[in-house]
Amino acid sequence: MMSAIIFDVDGTLAETEEQHRLAFNAAFEQAGLDWRWDEALYRDLLQVTGGKERLLHFIATRAPMPQAEAEALAPKLHAAKTAIYTEAVAAGAIPLRPGIAPFVEAAAAAGLTLAIATTTSLPNITTLLDSAFGARWERLFAVIAAGDMVPRKKPAPDVYQLALEKLGLPAEACVAIEDSRNGVASARGAGLKVIAVRSLYTSGDDLAGATRVLPDCLGLDLALLAELDRAGGPST
Ligand code: XBP
Ligand code: MG
């Protein structure tokens, strides 16, 4: 019996990646760097999850510098970017994707436990949830597994395994909601069924491992969960 829904954040709860991209560029400008990530480059860089890891990948592949320098610079730039990003989110810059709020409310009202499993940094999540649900978000979401809480980011299964551990539930009792190839792979690696909801930056992703792929979040409802539950069997 389905007991919990584990939500990804970026691209799933909200279309956040454009704001992340703008925040990265603002942090580069603040640091006096002439780097600018346009949409096409960012789409490519998103194959690397984690902002710090993404910065190190960009430096190694497009702006080479001594490794020690890169490893000192990336966390500084990432901290500046996170401050810029969370300020924008707190100001209400990012709405939830259409369909997410009613689905969250219906699932909570039906007694399902809600959790988060994301690569993004914790401040980004708490600011987004606070902006979307107000202080009650802490009663709505029982568990948050995020960013640096695990050694290996998506597509590794670590963050979903941590969410399951914190929930005290087996994978079979949960379903993941994801938007990207890396996210689907991470949830599947942890043994979860996955409902994938394509997002702006993952429109071209191969989401083959998902149990169901939706074009948006409007199709998310309890009837779909019940259908997946009835389908039962190994998480396909
Ligand atoms: C998406 C990511 C994150 C964000 C940026 O996370 O890979 O790195 O792009 O956030 P998810 P940070 O889809 O798992 O929510 O800069 O804080 O990493
Ligand atoms: Mg995502």
Side-chain angles (χ1 to χ4, degrees), residues 1-2 10 71 97 113-114 163 166 230:
M1 184 59 197
M2 193 82 69
D10 294 302
E71 287 177 2
R97 287 185 71 178
T113 302
L114 308 183
K166 286 181 158 196
R230 277 195 302 277

Side-chain angles (χ1 to χ4, degrees), residues 8 10 17 20 50-51 54 78 81 118-121 124 154:
D8 164 53
D10 294 302
E17 290 297 353
H20 280 298
R54 190 168 304 140
H78 191 249
K81 171 263 179 185
T118 174
T119 303
T120 199
S121 310
N124 296 347
K154 299 176 183 177

Side-chain angles (χ1 to χ4, degrees), residues 7-12 16-17 20 24 42 46 48-55 78 81-82 85 116-125 147 153-154 159-160 178-180 182-183:
F7 289 89
D8 164 53
V9 174
D10 294 302
T12 299
T16 58
E17 290 297 353
H20 280 298
F24 276 112
Y42 194 60
L46 273 172
V48 177
T49 60
K52 290 190 290 299
E53 293 81 356
R54 190 168 304 140
L55 280 163
H78 191 249
K81 171 263 179 185
T82 299
Y85 176 82
I116 298 274
T118 174
T119 303
T120 199
S121 310
L122 191 58
N124 296 347
I125 306 151
K153 291 187 166 70
K154 299 176 183 177
V159 73
Y160 276 99
E178 268 286 355
D179 76 304
S180 68
N182 284 328

Side-chain angles (χ1 to χ4, degrees), residues 4-234:
I5 306 170
I6 307 178
F7 289 89
D8 164 53
V9 174
D10 294 302
T12 299
L13 287 184
E15 286 286 10
T16 58
E17 290 297 353
E18 188 54 9
Q19 198 68 44
H20 280 298
R21 181 180 75 86
L22 297 175
F24 276 112
N25 286 338
F28 301 152
E29 189 169 2
Q30 210 176 66
L33 293 165
D34 65 356
W35 305 343
R36 290 298 176 270
W37 291 355
D38 65 17
E39 289 176 28
L41 173 56
Y42 194 60
R43 181 180 290 267
D44 179 55
L45 292 173
L46 273 172
Q47 292 176 62
V48 177
T49 60
K52 290 190 290 299
E53 293 81 356
R54 190 168 304 140
L55 280 163
L56 287 167
H57 169 74
F58 168 76
I59 290 170
T61 54
R62 296 170 183 261
M65 65 179 69
Q67 190 57 19
E69 201 178 311
E71 287 177 2
L73 179 60
K76 286 197 191 96
L77 285 174
H78 191 249
K81 171 263 179 185
T82 299
I84 293 163
Y85 176 82
T86 50
E87 189 178 340
V89 174
I94 304 183
L96 295 178
R97 287 185 71 178
I100 287 291
F103 181 51
V104 163
E105 299 291 357
L112 288 166
T113 302
L114 308 183
I116 298 274
T118 174
T119 303
T120 199
S121 310
L122 191 58
N124 296 347
I125 306 151
T126 55
T127 310
L128 179 68
L129 293 178
D130 197 56
S131 162
F133 296 102
R136 60 193 282 267
W137 73 262
E138 296 192 67
R139 293 194 302 280
L140 278 172
F141 293 87
V143 158
I144 294 185
D148 292 336
M149 292 181 190
V150 291
R152 299 178 308 164
K153 291 187 166 70
K154 299 176 183 177
D158 302 35
V159 73
Y160 276 99
Q161 289 166 337
L162 176 62
L164 290 172
E165 189 186 315
K166 286 181 158 196
L167 285 165
L169 289 170
E172 296 70 31
C174 308
V175 65
I177 316 290
E178 268 286 355
D179 76 304
S180 68
R181 183 184 55 80
N182 284 328
V184 170
S186 176
R188 295 290 302 113
L192 285 139
K193 287 184 183 167
V194 187
I195 298 172
V197 285
R198 284 197 181 285
S199 67
L200 293 175
Y201 271 106
T202 64
S203 52
D205 274 30
D206 173 3
L207 303 176
T211 311
R212 184 65 60 84
V213 179
L214 304 177
D216 53 39
C217 299
L218 297 172
L220 290 174
D221 60 25
L222 298 183
L224 178 56
L225 293 189
E227 188 194 316
L228 262 65
D229 218 12
R230 277 195 302 277

